[in-house]
Amino acid sequence: MDLSDVERMVVDWERNAEEKARRYQEMSRQVSQVSITGSAADGAVQVTVGANGVPSDVAMTPKVRQLEPERIAAAVMEAMHDAQSQYPQRLAEIMAQTVGDDSTTRHLLAEAQANFPLPQEKTQEPARGQQRPPDDPDDFSNSSFLDRDR
């Protein structure tokens, strides 16, 4: 490797670093403009959050008059969580369009998913006559609880 090869490598590295910095700046700009709205109580309550997950707007429709105060409060929290839980997906879309997949974006996405997890699905008890899925740890229908691994 001669000096011209080293110079070319340095120039390429600088150009790549500048391009990567530009893409990260664009990602940052787009992320700062994120606005996501979630809803609850059949649309009676909507909460909009920004990129930091902090609510920027709360709106209620006339349907809210039919709700008890406790349900309204719960609906606000549900709508906020709904909006926040959409943030990791939106962040992933922005990163894919701007900087692509690298260790930094994977870390940022993992942090967003930890801070704004998807809502837990509400589990329903099976109707009479239905069996629970076989992987249900509370299903002792086919064995004694004494036979279960601990």
Side-chain angles (χ1 to χ4, degrees):
M1 186 181 286
D2 64 7
L3 187 57
S4 65
D5 290 336
V6 172
E7 288 173 343
R8 194 172 21 252
M9 287 174 54
V10 169
V11 167
D12 288 346
W13 181 84
E14 286 176 343
R15 187 175 349 172
N16 289 339
E18 288 171 359
E19 176 61 21
K20 192 170 194 172
R22 186 194 64 71
R23 291 189 320 236
Y24 269 93
Q25 286 175 339
E26 177 60 18
M27 180 191 81
S28 178
R29 184 190 69 74
Q30 288 185 30
V31 166
S32 70
Q33 295 177 355
V34 165
S35 179
I36 302 169
T37 301
S39 65
D42 293 326
V45 176
Q46 296 92 34
V47 175
T48 301
V49 299
N52 56 5
V54 174
S56 58
D57 188 39
V58 176
M60 297 180 192
T61 69
K63 289 184 194 178
V64 82
R65 292 185 189 125
Q66 300 168 1
L67 303 175
E68 294 293 325
E70 298 83 19
R71 180 63 185 117
I72 295 170
V76 169
M77 296 304 292
E78 287 174 36
M80 182 176 68
H81 189 76
D82 177 43
Q84 290 171 337
S85 71
Q86 295 176 53
Y87 175 70
Q89 177 60 38
R90 183 66 187 118
L91 179 62
E93 292 167 1
I94 291 170
M95 288 190 293
Q97 295 168 359
T98 56
V99 296
D101 182 40
D102 65 19
S103 61
T104 302
T105 58
R106 286 189 297 273
H107 174 74
L108 292 172
L109 188 55
E111 286 293 314
Q113 290 168 333
N115 290 326
F116 305 115
L118 289 172
Q120 292 182 359
E121 295 295 324
K122 294 181 181 178
T123 57
Q124 295 181 345
E125 289 295 315
R128 284 210 163 143
Q130 290 182 333
Q131 292 186 357
R132 291 183 181 201
D135 61 341
D136 186 345
D138 295 325
D139 182 8
F140 300 109
S141 61
N142 296 325
S143 64
S144 165
F145 72 95
L146 297 173
D147 296 334
R148 307 279 301 182
D149 292 333
R150 293 181 191 235

